[in-house]
Amino acid sequence: MPKEITTLVTFFGATGDLAKRKLYPSVYNLYKKGFLKDHFGIIGTSRADLTTQEFQDFVRDSIKEFMKEDAPIDFLRHFDYQKADITKADDYAKLKALIEKLDTEFALKGNRIFYMSVAPRFFGTVAKSLKSEGLLSENGEFNRLMIEKPFGTDYATAEQLNNELSHAFNENQIYRIDHYLGKEMVQNIAALRFGNPLLAKAWNREYIDNIQVTLSETLGVEDRAGYYDTAGALRDMIQNHTMQIVGWLAMDEPASWTDQDIRAAKNAAFNSLKIYTPDEVAENFVRGQYGPDAANTQNGYLNEKDVPADSQNNTYVAGKLAFASDRWKDVPFYIRTGKRLAAKTTRIDIVFKQGFNLFTNAAPLEKNVLSIIVDPEGRIEYTMVAKDTTAEFKTRPITLNWTVSAEDKAQTPEPYERMIHDTMDGNGSNFADWNGVAVAWKFVDAIQSAWDATQQEFPNYVSGSMGPKAADELLARDGHRWIYEG
Ligand SMILES: NC(=O)C1=CN([C@@H]2O[C@H](COP(=O)(O)OP(=O)(O)OC[C@H]3O[C@@H](n4cnc5c(N)ncnc54)[C@H](OP(=O)(O)O)[C@@H]3O)[C@@H](O)[C@H]2O)C=CC1
Ligand SMILES: O=C1O[C@H](COP(=O)(O)O)[C@@H](O)[C@H](O)[C@H]1O
């Protein structure tokens, strides 16, 4: 039986794209599954002049459009709306009154969640105003803040934002969203690592040769050049999603399955990450920018809408991470991400050390590889050495394979549903915490500043390929190769 949750959620940015596409469908799923029943209230707010009825229509339409379902009135009656400009302190009083009204109407016990689905420049203002204008409950079980991405644009801005949030919320009340942490197969990393004695014992430098994390996309910059040309793949995909995946891979076993212990274990790993000098950046990181495809039917990045003709922005990043911990000393973590690559995939390849070849008649043994495929379909593959079934004693690699079935998929929550549920439930283990975010920014800032100081010849990869040659050479220098070739 699902545990019913009693809470009020206030969505700032209630008329925005994210709210419409992801947030209301997620809340509806939680209602259908019985997590939300009688004691929940949802407030939407933005500057739009909407009545409560019009807002409920907006929510119903979004569910119709994105879930192809008719939300019942019993669900919609929990939604209310307040027009407010989040930059105006006086407008928070109206919100406060509505929060208190719903708190009584649905018996919400003063439990409050505030979801900031607004432009990042508003995050600090909203958080501070929630406190200064008295919107936090004093008698409830919780006040929690859900914060969208990006969390800063470098370490300095992230630290400033974090300080602003800290005026009103302490660390365990802040839920920093990283939707990759809500993906089923990312959450599966821990089950695989810690639930299987063989893997648990082998998850270290003694048995693992290298680890590869690939987040590749086929789409280009689309119409997001205004944001993307200032962010690049490094800040858009490495600082957050890639580093958070790396956190699950690199951590030691947590002392217990609580968010505090999970975060502590991840932070110990993050804190042992080597931050590179400019020379080390040149040695360990590769940047790329896409050109047209081989048939010249797609624009290169420099010819995309709103991209400056001389942009030095990176649309591809590959690099090698080094951890100083006992577990990972000298084990390279290769990471890569890019736009306009050969395939849309998110995957993790764990390459084990070569087995001892006692079979004198056999070719050199293939390395075992455990692949965790996150997108586009959940899959686990384990490539290992076996006999080749002929009369001779020769070995060959075989692959064991498990794919998430359609039935499994149907019951798997979408990342946003999971993140909203976990926040309601007070479980912060699948959110980014400040220490991890701070380390990731320091790491990425060091790379960005080294790149800012040198010009690179762009474009340096063809759309539809797997990125610049230099990314292959990066691994080849260590005697390795990318397991996934597109
Ligand atoms: N859209 C997406 O797919 C994703 C978005 N995000 C993040 O989610 C957040 C929201 O993005 P998105 O929904 O796309 O943005 P939109 O621009 O679509 O929506 C912004 C919302 O903020 C409201 N708003 C703007 N200014 C004010 C103001 N002064 N006072 C009150 N409300 C205001 C807008 O309503 P109005 O103008 O009527 O006031 C609108 O409801 C961002 O942080 C973004 O980075 C993250 C991942 C994916
Ligand atoms: O956060 C982002 O992620 C998307 C890719 O997300 P996915 O779940 O579709 O893999 C990326 O396209 C976008 O640039 C970035 O901002």
Side-chain angles (χ1 to χ4, degrees), residues 149 179-180 183 215-217 219-220 224 227-228 236-237 240-241 339 344 346 375:
K149 60 154 225 181
H179 77 280
Y180 271 65
K183 292 188 185 233
L215 279 65
S216 76
E217 298 192 81
L219 289 179
R224 296 168 72 216
Y227 151 73
Y228 193 80
D236 186 50
M237 295 291 281
N240 42 25
H241 310 316
K339 295 220 181 267
K344 166 75 187 166
T346 302
D375 287 321

Side-chain angles (χ1 to χ4, degrees), residues 13 15-18 21 46-48 84-86 117-118 148-149:
T15 52
D17 176 67
L18 183 70
R21 283 193 308 112
S46 78
R47 291 168 305 178
D85 184 331
I86 47 184
S117 180
V118 289
E148 263 303 335
K149 60 154 225 181

Side-chain angles (χ1 to χ4, degrees), residues 49-181:
D49 215 350
L50 298 180
T51 63
T52 294
Q53 182 59 57
E54 285 168 336
F55 179 55
Q56 290 180 357
D57 291 345
F58 182 87
V59 172
R60 194 192 51 227
D61 291 349
S62 92
I63 290 166
K64 184 80 186 164
E65 182 178 353
F66 295 101
M67 300 175 76
K68 311 284 174 249
E69 287 187 39
D70 292 311
I73 187 64
D74 194 45
F75 169 72
L76 293 168
R77 72 185 182 85
H78 290 262
F79 285 70
D80 215 322
Y81 183 79
Q82 178 60 55
K83 173 182 173 179
D85 184 331
I86 47 184
T87 63
K88 295 192 177 138
D90 290 349
D91 282 9
Y92 286 82
K94 294 182 251 168
L95 259 180
K96 181 178 179 188
L98 184 59
I99 288 174
E100 285 166 1
K101 176 174 167 279
L102 261 61
D103 197 43
T104 308
E105 188 178 338
F106 295 115
L108 302 178
K109 299 184 178 168
N111 298 345
R112 293 179 191 168
I113 294 172
F114 302 93
Y115 193 126
M116 297 198 286
S117 180
V118 289
R121 67 180 182 283
F122 295 127
F123 293 162
T125 309
V126 173
K128 282 198 279 190
S129 306
L130 288 173
K131 172 141 192 200
S132 64
E133 305 313 313
L135 275 69
L136 304 183
S137 85
E138 280 162 12
N139 55 359
E141 288 163 24
F142 57 80
N143 289 290
R144 295 179 185 140
L145 184 71
M146 295 186 77
I147 178 164
E148 263 303 335
K149 60 154 225 181
F151 198 94
T153 53
D154 56 16
Y155 176 70
T157 52
E159 188 185 35
Q160 187 189 335
L161 171 58
N162 204 55
N163 290 341
E164 286 171 342
L165 303 187
S166 308
H167 287 303
F169 294 89
N170 59 40
E171 178 62 23
N172 62 19
Q173 294 175 301
I174 300 172
Y175 293 74
R176 293 179 197 78
I177 290 170
D178 187 309
H179 77 280
Y180 271 65
L181 289 178

Side-chain angles (χ1 to χ4, degrees), residues 182-305:
K183 292 188 185 233
E184 174 65 18
M185 294 304 286
V186 172
Q187 299 199 353
N188 218 332
I189 296 170
L192 287 167
R193 269 197 65 176
F194 303 123
N196 296 296
L198 285 180
L199 289 179
K201 287 274 177 238
W203 209 267
N204 53 50
R205 65 193 300 261
E206 201 179 333
Y207 293 100
I208 292 183
D209 188 66
N210 69 89
I211 290 183
Q212 305 181 8
V213 181
T214 299
L215 279 65
S216 76
E217 298 192 81
T218 49
L219 289 179
V221 63
E222 309 296 294
D223 56 0
R224 296 168 72 216
Y227 151 73
Y228 193 80
D229 199 63
T230 62
L234 184 64
R235 286 180 278 219
D236 186 50
M237 295 291 281
I238 297 286
Q239 187 276 337
N240 42 25
H241 310 316
T242 313
M243 294 303 285
Q244 289 300 324
I245 292 174
V246 166
W248 275 117
L249 295 168
M251 70 194 278
D252 281 354
E253 188 171 327
S256 76
W257 201 246
T258 58
D259 46 3
Q260 287 91 337
D261 283 339
I262 291 170
R263 285 176 174 199
K266 277 193 200 167
N267 283 330
F270 281 131
N271 294 341
S272 73
L273 176 68
K274 182 162 180 25
I275 310 285
Y276 288 138
T277 62
D279 283 348
E280 288 167 335
V281 170
E283 203 178 307
N284 294 303
F285 265 80
V286 170
R287 57 180 153 161
Q289 188 186 86
Y290 63 81
D293 60 329
N296 218 1
T297 57
Q298 284 180 307
N299 277 337
Y301 181 71
L302 295 178
N303 290 318
E304 299 277 36
K305 184 166 154 273

